[in-house]
Amino acid sequence: MTATVIDGKAFAAKVRDKVAGHVARLKEEHGITPGLAVVLVGEDPASQVYVRSKGKMTVEVGMNSYEHKLDADTSEADLLALIDKLNNDKDVHGILVQLPLPKHLNEDLVINSIDPAKDVDGFHISNVGLLGTGQKSMVPCTPLGCLMMLRDHHGSLSGMDAVVIGRSNIVGKPMAQLLLGDSCTVTIAHSRTRDLPEVVRRADIVVAAVGRPEMVPGDWIKPGATVIDVGINRIERDGKNVLVGDCHYDSCADVAGAITPVPGGVGPMTIACLLANTVTACCRANALSEPEGLTA
Ligand code: NAP
C-alpha cells in the first residue's frame, strides 16, 4: 500500500473540539447555547441508532439536544405543526428531520417546511439554490465533510480534475457543487455513464457515493489520485458482517496518493459537520461572526 490514509475519525474529533470551543465562547461571551432539534418518525432501527449518536455528540460539545420521537403513523399535519413550532423556537438553531420518512409522508414537503436558516442538513430547496449559485448557504453534512478533508490534504483544489460517482441530492450533486466552488473541473458520473473506468482514470480526485460494495477497483484510479469513499455497505465476508465502501480499499490504496478508509473515513465527519452547521446557524441567527473553517 502506498496511499496516505486520510483519518476521518481523527479529523472529526478535531472538528468537534473546534465546535466545542465555539460553543463555550458563545455561552461565555453572549449567554447563548446552540440547540439542535432532531425529529424521528417511526422506529427504523438504523435511524434510531443515528439519532441516538447525534444526540449524544450534540451534548458532548456543550449544545442543547432536543429529540422528538413521533409514532410511525404520525400525520403530515402533525409533523408540519411540530416543524412550525421548532421554526419559531428561539432556543432551536438547527432542525434535522431524520430520513427516510414513512411512505405516507411527503419528504420534499416536510424538508421544505423547515426554516432554511435552521436547515442544518442543507436539503431545503433554498439552500440547494444558494449553494448552486455560490451564495452563503447551509451545506449538506456528508459532502461538507469530504470537502474539509480534501482541503486539509491538498490546500488548494483549484484546477484539479474531480469525478463524483453518484448524483443523489444528498451527496453526489452537492459534492459536485462544492468542488466546482473550489475551482475543480468536475464530472458527475452515474449509472448511465459510458465507460466509467476511463472517466474515473482522468480524475485527480475521485469521490465515490454509489452504494455498491467495492465497485471501484484500483485499476480505475490514476496513480497518485485522492480517493474519497462515501459508501457504507454492509456485506458478509468469511461468515462475518463487515462494512465496506464503494471502492476496493486494498487495490485502490496501492495506486492512490491518499484514500479514506471505511469505516473511519467520511462517516465520522458527517455528524461532526452537523454540529459545525448548528454552530454556524446559531452565529448567523444572532448576527455574530461565524467560525472560520466550519463551513464551505
Ligand atoms: P443513492 O441516492 O442511492 O445514489 C446512488 C447513486 O449511484 C445514483 O446517482 C446512481 O445513479 C449511482 N449508481 C448506481 N449504480 C451505479 C453504477 N453501476 N455506476 C455508476 N453509478 C451508479 O445513494 P446516496 O444516498 O448518494 O448514498 C451513496 C452511498 O453513500 C451509500 O452507500 C450510502 O450508504 C453512503 N452514504 C454515506 C454517508 C456517510 O455519512 N458516510 C452519508 C450518506 C450516504 P443513477 O442516478 O443513474 O441511478
Side-chain angles (χ1 to χ4, degrees):
M1 184 184 130
T2 57
T4 302
V5 179
I6 299 178
D7 184 345
K9 204 170 160 200
F11 199 109
K14 274 195 221 162
V15 173
R16 288 197 307 273
D17 278 353
K18 205 166 166 180
V19 168
H22 287 292
V23 171
R25 184 181 55 84
L26 281 166
K27 284 185 191 177
E28 207 177 292
E29 294 175 13
H30 305 281
I32 301 167
T33 304
L36 172 63
V38 177
V39 180
L40 172 65
V41 187
E43 273 111 41
D44 177 66
S47 295
Q48 284 179 327
V49 173
Y50 291 139
V51 166
R52 237 192 333 269
S53 87
K54 283 168 189 172
K56 184 170 163 273
M57 291 197 182
T58 303
V59 171
E60 274 172 14
V61 294
M63 303 199 293
N64 288 327
S65 166
Y66 308 101
E67 276 182 32
H68 295 268
K69 292 185 178 158
L70 307 181
D71 292 338
D73 61 358
T74 297
S75 70
E76 202 161 83
D78 283 350
L79 178 56
L80 294 177
L82 171 61
I83 292 173
D84 186 53
K85 201 169 132 227
L86 297 172
N87 282 343
N88 290 299
D89 186 338
K90 285 201 165 33
D91 292 333
V92 172
H93 304 96
I95 303 170
L96 179 150
V97 177
Q98 185 66 42
L99 301 177
L101 288 172
K103 292 270 175 290
H104 68 285
L105 299 169
N106 179 337
E107 236 166 60
D108 288 340
L109 181 74
V110 170
I111 296 305
N112 290 326
S113 72
I114 298 171
D115 177 349
K118 297 188 179 188
D119 167 39
V120 281
D121 253 343
F123 297 159
H124 189 290
I125 193 74
S126 298
N127 282 315
V128 175
L130 290 168
L131 178 62
T133 49
Q135 299 178 70
K136 196 186 267 191
S137 65
M138 295 308 304
V139 178
C141 304
T142 300
L144 177 58
C146 297
L147 182 78
M148 282 184 186
M149 290 191 286
L150 283 166
R151 283 180 177 168
D152 182 67
H153 185 72
H154 286 285
S156 168
L157 308 181
S158 179
M160 295 177 88
D161 279 318
V163 170
V164 179
I165 319 176
R167 55 175 162 179
S168 72
N169 290 335
I170 63 167
V171 190
K173 283 181 200 158
M175 185 74 248
Q177 293 289 3
L178 289 170
L179 291 166
L180 195 58
D182 271 28
S183 299
C184 291
T185 302
V186 183
T187 303
I188 307 178
H190 45 77
S191 66
R192 306 296 172 91
T193 297
R194 278 193 225 137
D195 202 355
L196 184 59
E198 224 21 72
V199 171
V200 175
R201 268 182 209 117
R202 292 203 298 262
D204 304 309
I205 294 170
V206 180
V207 180
V210 184
R212 291 170 67 99
E214 301 178 330
M215 185 189 87
V216 179
D219 67 0
W220 291 14
I221 302 297
K222 172 162 131 180
T226 299
V227 176
I228 305 289
D229 193 347
V230 181
I232 301 179
N233 308 290
R234 261 165 236 283
I235 61 163
E236 209 187 290
R237 180 168 286 157
D238 305 328
K240 284 186 200 149
N241 280 321
V242 290
L243 277 188
V244 297
D246 290 339
C247 300
H248 183 269
Y249 186 79
D250 288 345
S251 63
C252 287
D254 275 344
V255 190
I259 188 166
T260 59
V262 177
V266 176
M269 285 299 287
T270 298
I271 296 188
C273 287
L274 173 68
L275 305 176
N277 275 349
T278 305
V279 169
T280 300
C282 178
C283 291
R284 288 178 186 170
N286 289 284
L288 298 168
S289 59
E290 54 191 82
E292 267 179 40
L294 289 186
T295 192

